[in-house]
Amino acid sequence: MDKASAGSPTLLTHGSANSHSTSYFEPLSGALRSRQGNSTYVKSTATNGDTMLKPCLLRNESGDISAMSRKRSGRSTPVPEDALPSVKSIKHARKALRRRLFPTVDYESRVSHFDPDSAHRDFRGFFTLFWIGLVIMVITAGLKNIKNTQNVLRTSIFSLFTMDLWQLGLAEAGMVSSTLICLFLQQQYQKGALSWEREGHILQHVVQSIWLGIWVYLPFYLKWEWTHQVFFTLHALTLLMKIHSYSFYCGHLCTTEKRLKELDSNNLKAEPKADTELRDTLAIELTSPNGHVTYPQNLTLENYADYLLCPTLCYEMSYPRTEKVRWSKVAEKAAAVFGCVFLLTVTSEEFIAPVMTEAAANLEHATTVFDRALIILESISLLLFPFMVTFLLVFLVIFEYVLGAFAEITCFADRHFYSDWWNSTDWLEFSREWNIPVHRFLQRHVYGASRVHMSRPVATAVTFLISALAHELVMFCITKKLRGYGFVCQMLQLPIIAIQQSKFMKERELLNNVTFWISMIWGLSMICSLYVLI
């Protein structure tokens, strides 16, 4: 899918940043766009006739790069007078603000909504009330258990966490280590041993498919419990997106470097203006946003390991960083992770598993369709509140605490992992704002690459299709059943979105927000009941 991104970066820029009308992915165009700064832009035309911007550095009348483009990056290494033109262009590119050909995520230093330093403090009282409510829930469940069983908590799910831990640890180490093949392949492409534009991008898709198949099958082969399998599968999908972004961005840079070196073979005394502008454009493309790293300096184990640890799915040669690690924050978020996992387990033990067990037993004795439907509807209604709590806890543990802890450890400054999705008025807005790392990945590597070959509605449908397949894979790992309920529900969002974006519905924001929350809570309970009971 990303073949075009390697061979035709201009087309990919058009595909992911078309400015004619809005679509599913364009409200975050400010977060995912070509970088721009003190540069002028020359309009060029893509093959389909749409106008795009072609970057070039400011030059004075004599053709030299102007002082405006000579802003220092903080590091400077003298370039010999007899250096190749491509080397000089790279030198200038490292000092200039830039607009890039490959879709680039704008990372900046910012905190999350629920961070104590956030400007969004209006609802922190409700956040506190939420945690108080959960404490009350745990106390109530404990007292009930003491009365009925003389035990404070049920332990059927808790006991699963300690099973086969050594296998899980070894598998995790093997899975992470196996991704190093992507770094090795990129080094071979850069050296010229293999060609990215000829066979490299195809080889990458083959490697990714085999890699994912091996690590998804392993938990089934080892017969792990669903707790281990879900964690392992989610991590595998995360690493898959990371290595895809790393490989196709570095593959694009490899192609760009070859094009830049080809310009050095120009024997003309006076280089054509078009070649000079192209040289500057390619040099900018090979330089990191902060001007500190230039391809292929990024093809190192240190850079790759840092990327794997950073809480992002879109590769860049460098990211904005905080000054130091605040270990008190790391400890705080680590404690919150264990606290959320504890609450999730209690919720499942006390309010979800008993409902499912009773409903399954009742279905065995049901004789009519009406009785079976009534049992399923009753189980869905009993699961509404537990799944609402589960959904909120999963959101917090992943996007506020796990990602926040890794951001603190790696000094990753951009903590914008989610936006105010709770105010969503349609599924389109929710899918953009509740999981920003995945949204950026899909926008950059799926939707953007698809737009080169297909229309906007089809590219959006393809993006939803891939997302739905990933969600169905997770449900298959949890229930060991391939039913497709979640896949169908997610694909049904497309016609629902079309209705929600009609003029009649758009004007009724409160109604849309109420509808969103009802459909979210009902949908989670319904999907769980269908997968477990049918």
Side-chain angles (χ1 to χ4, degrees), residues 411-446:
C411 295
F412 189 84
D414 193 343
R415 316 291 170 90
H416 189 55
F417 305 124
Y418 58 91
S419 190
D420 57 338
W421 58 265
W422 43 87
N423 295 324
S424 298
T425 56
D426 57 53
W427 286 104
L428 198 61
E429 186 178 359
F430 168 75
S431 58
R432 288 194 303 263
E433 296 182 347
W434 106 281
N435 189 343
I436 288 179
V438 169
H439 169 67
R440 285 173 170 171
F441 173 86
L442 293 174
Q443 183 187 21
R444 186 193 207 189
H445 293 286
V446 179

Side-chain angles (χ1 to χ4, degrees), residues 332-525:
E332 174 188 323
K333 291 187 179 296
V337 169
F338 286 103
C340 285
V341 171
F342 170 78
L343 291 170
L344 282 167
T345 307
V346 170
T347 303
S348 300
E349 291 267 23
E350 302 293 338
F351 304 103
I352 296 178
V355 173
M356 291 289 94
T357 302
E358 182 179 356
N362 292 336
L363 280 175
E364 293 181 359
H365 300 93
T367 56
T368 65
V369 175
F370 177 78
D371 290 339
R372 294 175 65 86
L374 193 61
I375 292 171
I376 293 174
L377 287 174
E378 181 187 23
S379 66
I380 292 174
S381 65
L382 291 174
L383 292 174
L384 291 177
F385 181 76
F387 267 103
M388 181 181 69
V389 172
T390 299
F391 170 72
L392 294 175
L393 285 172
V394 168
F395 159 71
L396 284 172
V397 73
I398 295 177
F399 299 108
E400 182 64 26
Y401 300 129
V402 172
L403 296 186
F406 276 96
E408 195 64 46
I409 292 171
T410 59
C411 295
F412 189 84
D414 193 343
R415 316 291 170 90
H416 189 55
F417 305 124
Y418 58 91
S419 190
D420 57 338
W421 58 265
W422 43 87
N423 295 324
S424 298
T425 56
D426 57 53
W427 286 104
L428 198 61
E429 186 178 359
F430 168 75
S431 58
R432 288 194 303 263
E433 296 182 347
W434 106 281
N435 189 343
I436 288 179
V438 169
H439 169 67
R440 285 173 170 171
F441 173 86
L442 293 174
Q443 183 187 21
R444 186 193 207 189
H445 293 286
V446 179
Y447 176 81
S450 301
R451 279 290 287 124
V452 179
H453 309 287
M454 55 193 69
S455 65
R456 179 176 292 108
V458 176
T460 301
V462 169
T463 307
F464 267 82
L465 175 65
I466 292 176
S467 177
L469 289 173
H471 283 82
E472 185 63 29
L473 174 62
V474 174
M475 293 305 301
F476 174 63
C477 292
I478 294 176
T479 63
K480 306 296 191 297
K481 297 178 181 179
L482 191 60
R483 295 290 187 268
Y485 303 131
F487 175 83
V488 171
C489 288
Q490 186 159 353
M491 294 306 295
L492 283 176
Q493 290 179 10
L494 289 172
I496 294 174
I497 287 169
I499 297 174
Q500 291 173 327
Q501 292 196 328
S502 65
K503 184 178 179 181
F504 176 80
M505 293 299 294
K506 266 191 170 182
E507 296 174 351
R508 292 159 175 79
E509 291 188 1
L510 178 60
L511 174 62
N512 284 334
N513 185 244
V514 171
T515 304
F516 158 74
W517 273 111
I518 292 176
S519 58
M520 169 62 73
I521 299 170
W522 177 268
L524 290 172
S525 303

Side-chain angles (χ1 to χ4, degrees), residues 55-121:
C56 64
L57 296 178
L58 289 175
R59 294 179 175 273
N60 56 29
E61 294 180 357
S62 64
D64 296 330
I65 295 178
S66 66
M68 187 179 297
S69 295
R70 294 181 180 273
K71 292 191 175 181
R72 293 190 176 274
S73 64
R75 301 180 184 180
S76 181
T77 302
V79 175
E81 291 296 331
D82 59 347
L84 292 173
S86 60
V87 176
K88 294 180 179 180
S89 296
I90 288 289
K91 174 66 176 179
H92 292 309
R94 295 185 68 158
K95 296 182 178 181
L97 296 175
R98 55 196 51 80
R99 176 182 174 89
R100 308 183 70 85
L101 297 175
F102 198 90
T104 304
V105 177
D106 276 339
Y107 293 98
E108 58 185 88
S109 181
R110 48 191 169 182
V111 298
S112 63
H113 274 64
F114 291 125
D115 191 281
D117 297 327
S118 172
H120 304 277
R121 291 177 234 187

